[in-house]
Amino acid sequence: MLTLGIETSCDETSAAVVEGERRILSNIVASQFDLHARYGGVVPELACRRHVEVISQTVESALDEAGVALDDVGLISVVKGPGLIGALLVGVSFAKALARSRGVPIIGVNHVEAHVYSAVMSSDTIEFPAIGLVVSGGHTMLFLMEDFGVYRWLGGTVDDAVGEAGDKVATLLGLPYLGGPLVEKLAGGGNARAIDFPRAMMRRRSYDFSYAGLKTAVLYHVKGYAGSPRDPSLIDDAERADIAAGYQVAAFEPLVRKTMWAAEEFAAQSAVVCGGVSRNETLRAMFADAGADCGVPVYFPAKELCTDNAAMVAGLGAWRAVRFPDESSGDFDAFPNFGAFDALEDYRDPRARRRGGRRRKE
Ligand code: KG4
Ligand code: ZN
């Protein structure tokens, strides 16, 4: 069966055709990079308008590149959330209209789960239980996967996401939008030990993360303090590279250590690291080393599947439709907040459990 995937949760309009649950026939990503670059971040209203303008063409390109017609598609899978509500509504409305007009079943899937599925699509040797880590511009979260599709929440960021922190640090270093990959490049020429930035929330019992303090530490390093301000334009290239390298290890160490602690605590057979930041080679190398030391194989998505794309959405939709046929009834709405990760349960955080927790159902 062919599945048409549609993704519009943030600033990429993407459409893809996947055969079965894994074979990618096309994966078109229309980036809005040019639109948001001069604002230094995604402007939601502009993102929605651009999605409206290009979604039709993006879907046509995905079908053309796959060499298939709309009539060949047996399922439409669209991201229903989390994400920017206006942006999500464009994809969901378009997908529903297409599905109704063609009489094709439609399923709404979770963007975060699609990131996890991108690793499953890229490898058939992942063993469960596994520890999952999603590191992207919008999310930093750790969970136990008893199997794919069965999750237990372990922890997440209490403030910024790690990808977002990297983008902010890039701005402080005078790098253009979108900064995460540029920080990585700059760090390549630096010494990660030259500047000792703080690693946050390293208590063994916590699986939460924090990036606001690290971001502020970089800010003070670059701009100085009230009593002794510094002109950032006078920082030489060697120091900029050291800042970038020092930032990266301080940002990544908690991710690696907590994933390995969780793997030990829950006797996980593997770890799965996904989302935009999982493209980063330093992060991959740190995980490979720690995984080898702890005897935990670490899996990543193929590089082109790390950042937002519709192939992971199509693949996940196909996977879920087979196992949970009720989900492809088309009865779903777009939702902006994290929370419809249906099988996810609060596990560690007693405060969240008492409140009824993050387990909010749709
Ligand atoms: O998964 P994604 O495309 O979108 C969200 O769901 O948020 O992730 C985008 C994030 C951005 O913050 C971007 O700077 C970061 O992933 N990113 C990277 C790298 N490539 C993308 N961060 C560090 N190193 C990279 N190579
Ligand atoms: Zn994403």
Side-chain angles (χ1 to χ4, degrees):
M1 187 189 65
L2 297 181
T3 301
L4 171 67
I6 296 178
E7 149 73 48
T8 63
S9 65
C10 189
D11 60 338
E12 325 274 12
T13 319
S14 182
V17 178
V18 166
E19 187 183 49
E21 293 173 9
R22 280 163 180 260
R23 193 165 161 251
I24 300 171
L25 302 185
S26 66
N27 188 18
I28 307 290
V29 181
S31 168
Q32 300 186 358
F33 180 83
D34 57 321
L35 190 63
H36 304 290
R38 69 188 157 123
Y39 301 102
V42 177
V43 183
E45 178 66 23
L46 296 180
C48 304
R49 284 164 192 257
R50 179 65 69 84
H51 285 312
V52 172
E53 282 161 24
V54 305
I55 190 161
S56 239
Q57 179 57 50
T58 308
V59 167
E60 268 176 39
S61 303
L63 294 168
D64 283 354
E65 195 174 303
V68 302
L70 200 47
D71 287 340
D72 302 327
V73 169
L75 175 70
I76 296 176
S77 175
V78 62
V79 166
K80 60 180 175 177
L84 302 171
I85 185 65
L88 289 164
L89 280 167
V90 177
V92 168
S93 313
F94 184 91
K96 280 189 173 180
L98 201 58
R100 292 238 165 101
S101 64
R102 297 285 173 152
V104 179
I106 178 170
I107 184 166
V109 300
N110 184 299
H111 178 81
V112 177
E113 189 176 29
H115 273 301
V116 184
Y117 192 77
S118 70
V120 173
M121 275 184 115
S122 305
S123 167
D124 49 14
T125 57
I126 299 174
E127 285 189 58
F128 294 91
I131 301 299
L133 175 72
V134 177
V135 279
S136 71
H139 304 283
T140 305
M141 52 180 74
L142 191 70
F143 41 88
L144 171 66
M145 290 191 277
E146 279 154 12
D147 205 339
F148 182 76
V150 185
Y151 312 95
R152 278 179 165 192
W153 172 273
L154 297 180
T157 183
V158 297
D159 41 53
D160 297 344
V162 61
E164 180 191 352
D167 297 335
K168 301 267 167 57
V169 164
T171 307
L172 289 172
L173 291 171
L175 298 167
Y177 179 80
L178 180 71
L182 303 176
V183 172
E184 175 178 21
K185 207 165 161 211
L186 182 62
N191 173 4
R193 279 188 245 279
I195 306 161
D196 193 21
F197 288 120
R199 279 80 168 142
M201 305 189 82
M202 292 303 283
R203 291 184 319 279
R204 171 100 198 197
R205 286 184 59 242
S206 163
Y207 287 127
D208 283 336
F209 304 93
S210 166
Y211 285 98
L214 173 58
K215 201 176 66 181
T216 308
V218 177
L219 171 86
Y220 281 132
H221 187 92
V222 170
K223 296 194 170 172
Y225 299 81
S228 63
R230 216 181 159 194
D231 180 351
S233 67
L234 298 180
I235 297 178
D236 65 22
D237 287 349
E239 189 182 345
R240 286 172 72 246
D242 288 347
I243 296 170
Y247 160 76
Q248 285 206 136
V249 295
F252 298 162
E253 226 176 79
L255 300 172
V256 175
R257 295 271 289 277
K258 291 184 185 209
T259 302
M260 292 302 145
W261 289 341
E264 190 190 0
E265 181 174 347
F266 297 102
Q269 301 296 305
S270 62
V272 174
V273 182
C274 51
V277 183
S278 71
R279 283 183 74 98
N280 188 290
E281 286 296 347
T282 303
L283 182 76
R284 287 181 176 226
M286 287 169 71
F287 264 110
D289 286 350
D293 285 351
C294 302
V296 178
V298 184
Y299 295 91
F300 298 92
K303 283 245 175 131
E304 66 279 10
L305 296 182
C306 290
T307 45
D308 292 350
N309 68 87
M312 64 187 189
V313 175
L316 174 61
W319 188 94
R320 291 199 73 93
V322 167
R323 288 156 187 85
F324 309 101
D326 290 355
E327 291 185 11
S328 44
S329 65
D331 182 20
F332 65 91
D333 290 315
F335 66 90
N337 297 320
F338 182 73
F341 214 156
D342 291 333
L344 197 78
E345 285 179 19
D346 292 304
Y347 188 66
R348 298 278 301 193
D349 184 346
R351 283 162 304 150
R353 242 180 291 158
R354 234 178 291 132
R355 284 198 305 268
R358 302 174 181 124
R359 200 174 13 158
R360 214 185 48 153
K361 287 240 174 186
E362 276 176 284

